[in-house]
């Protein structure tokens, strides 16, 4: 009978679960290394008071699939630290350094930033262990949010997906939910392809202009800390107005589960590029698919950030990062859409199958056990 400690285990992983408890320092943390067949796992360190083993495992598995789908030589892992990320800075540094020393020998895990940790935290971890991604530029980091790695990847996906569903990117009308780091750069890189931003939203509302919005002007406006609705660049409305805006390409770049069975029919776009993670429920994706709306799933379309981190880990430059993001997202979007058509399945199913096959193929090269699939 399977012991509770192994309740998550399947043929892919997890390879290892490490519980860290140092009462003298108030350190409680968990590291899940899910799968390292393709290479050392990369995944974020999340700091929050209410994290759990279950959450850590699910996030680690998501990284296994995302890294494989992106075609990276990395498996998936994740770490959680049970603590308030807003604690006093000295205490936070002490805690993160103690965590780093505790995982120093876990060379199958390369930490990255996540909720509650940032590039400074990654610098402390790097100082203690020599391993981490998402570092400050001065010690080799590539500032992925500043350069727009994920938004650039979304535009690369659009270049393949738009013609696939009969859309010309030139003149295509784009609506973006969440004009933050991912959303602004997606708008910028799509404008370079002559697409036209017709609507954008943030947590306070939506701005809509069917004649087009000047992307750089809206970015400059947003940088002043105001809402897109105050820009005067079009008609403004509540945050949900973005969902029914008349457009060709719809990009969720805000929160999970924003598209559900109750509002999926309001989407007018022919193409959805998922910038946010899990922005639609499974039911909503099925409804949209049946209506003929093409969806490029999150872990294919928004992989620009993690690809950038992998380039950084190898000491690559910003220019190399853009080149690798372009190559990988172009190739993977093409593969997923072709497979979805050939097998008459949804792009998400095709992407999951592709990722799983890559992990299993990598596992086939391993010397010891852990070979997935038949015969073990
Ligand atoms: P961000 O905080 O920079 O931007 C988020 C934007 O969404 C903000 O403008 C915020 O006002 C807006 N927003 C929040 N709630 C909203 C709502 N209900 N309606 C409309 N807008 C709303 O975050 P980000 O880094 O751009 O990430 C956006 C999403 O993309 C997240 O789900 C994140 O997990 C995912 N993602 C980010 C990256 C990356 O490289 N940053 C990579 C992969 C996935």
């Amino acid at each position: 009978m399977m012991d509770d400690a192994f309740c998550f285990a399947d043929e892919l992983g997890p390879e290892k679960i490490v519980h860290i408890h140092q009462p003298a320092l108030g350190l409680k943390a968990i590291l899940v290394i899910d799968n390292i067949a393709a290479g050392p796992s990369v995944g974020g360190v999340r700091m929050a008071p209410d994290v759990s083993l279950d959450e850590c495992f699910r996030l680690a598995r998501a990284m296994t699939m995302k890294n494989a789908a992106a075609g990276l030589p990395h498996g998936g892992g994740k770490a959680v630290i049970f603590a308030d990320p807003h604690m006093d800075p000295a205490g936070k540094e002490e805690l993160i350094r103690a965590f780093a020393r505790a995982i120093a020998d876990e060379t199958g895990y390369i930490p990255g930033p996540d909720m509650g940790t940032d590039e400074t935290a990654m610098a402390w971890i790097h100082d203690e262990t020599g391993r981490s991604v998402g570092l400050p530029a001065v010690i080799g980091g590539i500032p992925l949010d500043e350069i727009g790695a994920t938004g650039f990847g979304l535009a690369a996906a659009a270049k393949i997906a738009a013609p696939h569903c009969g859309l010309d990117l030139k003149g295509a009308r784009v609506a973006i939910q969440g004009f933050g780091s991912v959303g602004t750069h997606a708008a910028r890189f799509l404008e370079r392809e002559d697409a036209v931003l017709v609507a954008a939203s943030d947590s306070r509302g939506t701005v809509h202009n069917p004649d087009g919005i000047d992307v750089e002007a809206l970015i400059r406006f947003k940088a002043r800390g105001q809402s897109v609705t105050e820009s005067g660049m079009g008609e403004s409305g509540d945050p949900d107005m973005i969902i029914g805006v008349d457009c060709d390409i719809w990009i969720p770049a805000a929160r999970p589960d924003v598209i559900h069975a109750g509002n999926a029919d309001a989407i007018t776009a022919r193409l959805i590029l998922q910038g946010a993670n899990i922005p639609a429920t499974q039911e909503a994706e099925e409804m949209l698919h049946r209506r003929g709306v093409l969806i490029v799933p999150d872990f294919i379309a928004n992989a620009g950030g993690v690809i950038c981190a992998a380039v950084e880990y190898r000491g690559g430059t910003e220019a190399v990062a853009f080149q690798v993001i372009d190559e990988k997202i172009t190739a993977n979007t093409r593969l997923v859409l072709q497979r979805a058509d050939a097998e008459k399945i949804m792009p998400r199913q095709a992407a999951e199958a592709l990722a799983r096959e890559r992990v299993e193929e990598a596992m086939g090269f391993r010397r010891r056990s852990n070979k997935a699939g038949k015969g073990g």
Side-chain angles (χ1 to χ4, degrees):
M1 208 174 75
M2 188 175 277
D3 188 271
D4 264 352
F6 291 92
C7 60
F8 305 119
D10 63 15
E11 66 278 16
L12 297 191
E15 165 110 4
K16 194 185 263 194
I17 301 176
V18 182
H19 289 262
I20 299 156
H21 189 209
Q22 298 182 4
L25 287 170
L27 174 64
K28 264 176 74 182
I30 299 171
L31 164 64
V32 175
I33 298 178
D34 183 45
N35 190 294
I36 55 168
S41 67
V42 175
V45 181
R46 179 166 290 192
M47 183 187 264
D50 57 350
V51 285
S52 66
L53 170 60
D54 179 65
E55 178 181 4
C56 191
F57 166 70
R58 284 188 294 109
L59 293 166
R61 173 57 55 86
M63 288 310 297
T64 298
M65 302 302 276
K66 185 167 191 162
N67 292 339
L72 296 173
H74 289 291
K78 200 86 184 183
V80 293
I81 301 176
F82 295 74
D84 177 2
H86 306 296
M87 65 168 53
D88 79 282
K92 185 169 179 175
E93 176 171 354
E94 194 183 350
L95 203 62
I96 287 178
R97 283 186 181 276
F99 163 77
R101 286 193 296 275
I103 62 152
D105 293 336
E106 301 297 341
T107 53
Y109 175 59
I110 303 165
D114 195 84
M115 278 163 50
T117 61
D118 57 10
E119 61 176 35
T120 304
M122 293 309 114
W124 296 329
I125 293 176
H126 194 265
D127 185 40
E128 298 288 344
T129 68
R131 298 187 317 274
S132 66
V133 290
L135 290 164
V138 71
I139 50 171
I142 305 175
L144 64 92
D145 277 339
E146 216 172 281
I147 66 169
T150 303
F152 176 77
L154 284 166
K159 282 192 249 179
I160 300 300
H164 194 88
C165 63
L167 263 180
D168 190 350
L169 210 43
K170 189 175 161 61
R173 296 163 306 149
V174 179
I176 299 183
Q177 182 191 47
F179 209 57
S181 171
V182 172
T184 52
H185 289 290
R188 206 162 59 78
F189 288 111
L190 282 167
E191 193 181 49
R192 286 193 194 172
E193 304 302 321
D194 294 324
V196 180
L197 182 71
V198 292
S201 71
D202 56 30
S203 56
R204 286 180 272 170
T206 301
V207 63
H208 175 217
N209 187 343
D211 297 327
I213 295 169
D214 180 336
V215 172
E216 289 298 342
L218 189 60
I219 290 174
R220 280 197 302 276
F221 182 82
K222 189 76 184 131
R224 302 209 300 255
Q226 284 168 286
S227 166
V228 292
T229 55
E230 296 161 301
S231 66
M233 293 182 194
E235 178 204 350
S236 56
D238 65 20
D240 283 350
M241 181 175 134
I242 192 85
I243 293 168
V245 154
D246 191 19
C247 65
D248 303 305
I249 301 177
W250 201 81
I251 300 182
R255 317 268 321 144
D257 293 335
V258 290
I259 300 300
H260 45 78
N263 63 11
D265 279 339
I267 300 251
T268 62
R270 212 181 311 169
L271 172 63
I272 296 178
L273 300 166
Q274 296 187 335
N277 292 317
I278 343 172
T281 63
Q282 188 181 335
E283 193 180 4
E285 281 198 6
E286 285 166 4
M287 287 168 65
L288 288 158
H289 181 70
R290 277 197 299 275
R291 267 213 285 131
V293 178
L294 183 63
I295 302 176
V296 185
D298 43 15
F299 65 106
I300 296 295
N302 75 15
V306 74
I307 297 172
C308 185
V311 170
E312 175 189 312
Y313 189 68
R314 283 163 183 73
T317 61
E318 192 177 307
V320 173
F322 278 125
Q323 190 191 333
V324 178
I325 293 167
D326 191 34
E327 275 171 21
K328 287 195 180 292
I329 294 193
T330 299
N332 289 324
T333 305
R334 192 176 280 131
L335 270 177
V336 162
L337 298 187
Q338 283 170 349
R339 181 168 185 164
D341 278 359
E343 297 179 17
K344 300 198 186 331
I345 53 177
M346 287 167 46
R348 178 171 294 278
Q349 294 168 306
E352 281 167 359
L354 177 81
R356 201 175 178 92
E357 281 163 17
R358 284 181 179 165
V359 176
E360 288 176 352
E361 190 181 343
M363 289 174 81
F365 294 120
R366 296 197 75 195
R367 177 165 54 84
R368 298 168 281 119
S369 64
N370 275 6
K371 287 191 180 176
K374 305 137 232 149

